[in-house]
């Protein structure tokens, strides 16, 4: 039997801003919450550009990535009805979201990385958040 992970919340409140010729945005990760058999990341995304911002597609292959320091990947779970749809924000628009990643946290993991780099080779490159995990589980 697989034991559930010990619940914990890691407060981050970290922001990353990127600006390129075609896109400009600010992404804030507020907190990461570890639950029994899944992990959530609470974020805010703001479009700082004068044009439309295309964020991620509704698929696990083009969405945000979450992995731990032991090499385990936790798959992004697409919102119901969001399959194959593109998240687009108009100029000045923003959104608050909770991203869900499936899987029980590895009991030996000491850190998580929330990685948005797969979204685009240009603007989203190296948009990552390091999430330290506390205490022995």
């Amino acid at each position: 039997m697989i034991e559930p992970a010990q619940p914990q919340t890691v407060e981050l409140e970290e922001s990353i801003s990127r600006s390129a010729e075609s896109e400009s945005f600010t992404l804030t990760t507020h907190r990461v919450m570890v639950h029994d058999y899944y992990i959530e990341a609470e974020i805010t995304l703001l479009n700082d550009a004068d044009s439309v911002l295309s964020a991620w597609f509704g698929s696990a292959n083009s969405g945000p990535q979450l992995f731990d320091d032991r090499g385990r990947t936790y798959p992004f779970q697409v919102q119901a009805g969001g399959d194959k749809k593109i998240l687009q924000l108009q100029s000045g628009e923003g959104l608050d979201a909770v991203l869900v990643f499936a899987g029980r946290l590895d009991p030996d993991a000491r850190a998580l990385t929330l990685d948005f780099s797969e979204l685009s080779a240009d603007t989203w490159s190296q948009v990552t958040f390091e999430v330290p995990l506390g205490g022995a589980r």
Side-chain angles (χ1 to χ4, degrees), residues 39-112:
I39 301 167
E40 294 178 318
E42 187 177 308
I43 65 156
T44 298
L45 176 61
L46 300 173
N47 181 3
D48 299 324
D50 293 330
S51 58
V52 173
L53 173 68
S54 293
W56 50 83
F57 294 92
S59 89
N61 295 332
S62 69
Q65 307 290 311
L66 183 70
F67 52 90
D68 65 30
D69 60 332
R70 311 269 304 162
R72 182 169 180 193
T73 300
Y74 302 87
F76 175 60
Q77 302 300 296
V78 179
Q79 165 185 335
D83 233 5
K84 299 186 182 179
K85 294 185 180 175
I86 301 171
L87 172 63
Q88 292 186 319
L89 297 176
Q90 299 298 317
S91 176
E93 284 186 333
L95 66 82
D96 294 320
V98 176
L99 308 177
V100 178
F101 300 88
R104 179 183 72 93
L105 180 67
D106 186 314
D108 295 323
R110 295 291 172 245
L112 294 169

Side-chain angles (χ1 to χ4, degrees), residues 8-9 11-12 17 25-26 30 32 45-46 50 55-56 59 61 69 79 81 84 87 99 110 113-114 116 118 126 128:
Q8 64 179 298
T9 298
E11 300 288 339
L12 283 183
S17 295
F25 63 86
T26 300
H30 300 287
V32 173
L45 176 61
L46 300 173
D50 293 330
W56 50 83
S59 89
N61 295 332
D69 60 332
Q79 165 185 335
K84 299 186 182 179
L87 172 63
L99 308 177
R110 295 291 172 245
T113 300
L114 181 57
F116 293 86
E118 292 295 318
Q126 298 180 353
T128 61

